[in-house]
């Protein structure tokens, strides 16, 4: 049984991939929904994975396939649980266009959040690229191709 972690910045298609995989009958967990907590640090407030909740969900699915997604600063602490860490990435203009057009939530649309997206593209993406086993560029790949490549890892 495989646990596949899908990571990447906002607007690369993580949620879309999970929706499609779930429609196909796969177990999926979007950690943006109920698996994070806020902590205070020098820079203010930060949202990170809630270790207890993440550990619980990983234990719950260890006997079955699971696609789990998210992008949080403490995710590396959990990489040993994953069979593969898959980075979804896209060109910046494509990410920004997707963020502008999406209706599922508004993250990335305010000036402050847009600045976070741009900062993450410059500073977080290179770290994600170094720590990922596989990178899938979603710039020109549709969701069916992305999901096909993810399912090949099982």
């Amino acid at each position: 049984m495989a646990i596949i972690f899908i990571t990447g910045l906002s607007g690369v298609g993580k949620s879309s991939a999970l929706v499609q995989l779930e429609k196909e009958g796969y177990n999926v967990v979007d950690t943006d929904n109920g698996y994070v907590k806020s902590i205070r640090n020098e820079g203010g407030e930060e949202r990170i994975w809630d270790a207890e909740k993440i550990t619980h969900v990983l234990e719950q699915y260890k006997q079955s396939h699971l696609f789990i997604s998210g992008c949080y600063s403490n995710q590396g602490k959990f990489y040993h649980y994953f069979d593969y860490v898959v980075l979804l990435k896209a060109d910046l203009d494509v990410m920004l266009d997707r963020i502008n057009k999406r209706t599922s939530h508004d993250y990335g649309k305010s000036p402050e959040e847009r600045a976070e997206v741009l900062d993450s593209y410059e500073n977080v993406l290179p770290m994600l690229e170094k720590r990922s086993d596989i990178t899938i560029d979603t710039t020109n790949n549709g969701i069916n191709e992305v999901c096909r490549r993810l399912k090949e890892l099982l």
Side-chain angles (χ1 to χ4, degrees):
M1 299 295 124
I3 298 178
I4 311 299
F5 176 54
I6 305 165
T7 192
L9 304 179
S10 187
V12 297
K14 297 183 305 290
S15 296
S16 297
L18 287 188
V19 167
Q20 181 62 35
L21 291 165
E22 187 173 39
K23 284 180 184 175
E24 295 179 23
Y26 292 94
N27 295 316
V28 303
V29 172
D30 183 345
T31 62
D32 290 347
N33 301 317
Y35 295 90
V36 296
K37 65 181 181 180
S38 294
I39 61 165
R40 287 210 154 295
N41 59 28
E42 305 110 25
E45 192 172 86
E46 178 182 11
R47 289 172 37 96
I48 62 170
W49 269 353
D50 182 315
E52 185 177 318
K53 290 179 179 180
I54 294 294
T55 303
H56 177 76
V57 78
L58 294 171
E59 289 295 323
Q60 177 184 346
Y61 285 101
K62 70 181 178 184
Q63 298 303 316
S64 60
H65 294 309
L66 174 66
F67 292 98
I68 183 170
S69 75
C71 190
Y72 294 93
S73 63
N74 66 334
Q75 68 191 35
K77 295 177 182 177
F78 299 89
Y79 279 10
H80 65 279
Y81 284 99
F82 308 132
D83 293 282
Y84 295 99
V85 175
V86 179
L87 172 64
L88 300 186
K89 69 180 219 174
D91 292 346
L92 181 59
D93 59 329
V94 171
M95 288 172 45
L96 297 176
D97 185 56
R98 290 174 182 168
I99 290 168
N100 286 337
K101 290 179 179 174
R102 72 177 163 207
T103 58
S104 58
H105 59 86
D106 288 332
Y107 178 78
K109 294 181 181 180
S110 74
E112 298 82 15
E113 291 170 345
R114 180 58 54 104
E116 288 176 10
V117 170
L118 296 172
D119 181 69
S120 292
Y121 192 84
E122 291 295 321
N123 298 303
V124 176
L125 181 58
M127 291 186 290
L128 293 173
E129 289 174 317
K130 288 179 186 173
R131 300 278 321 267
S132 298
D133 300 310
I134 296 160
T135 299
I136 300 173
D137 190 327
T138 67
T139 301
N140 297 308
N141 284 312
I143 198 65
N144 290 333
E145 175 62 16
V146 171
C147 289
R148 182 191 68 74
R149 294 191 55 199
L150 289 168
K151 292 182 290 189
E152 285 178 347
L153 299 174
L154 299 177

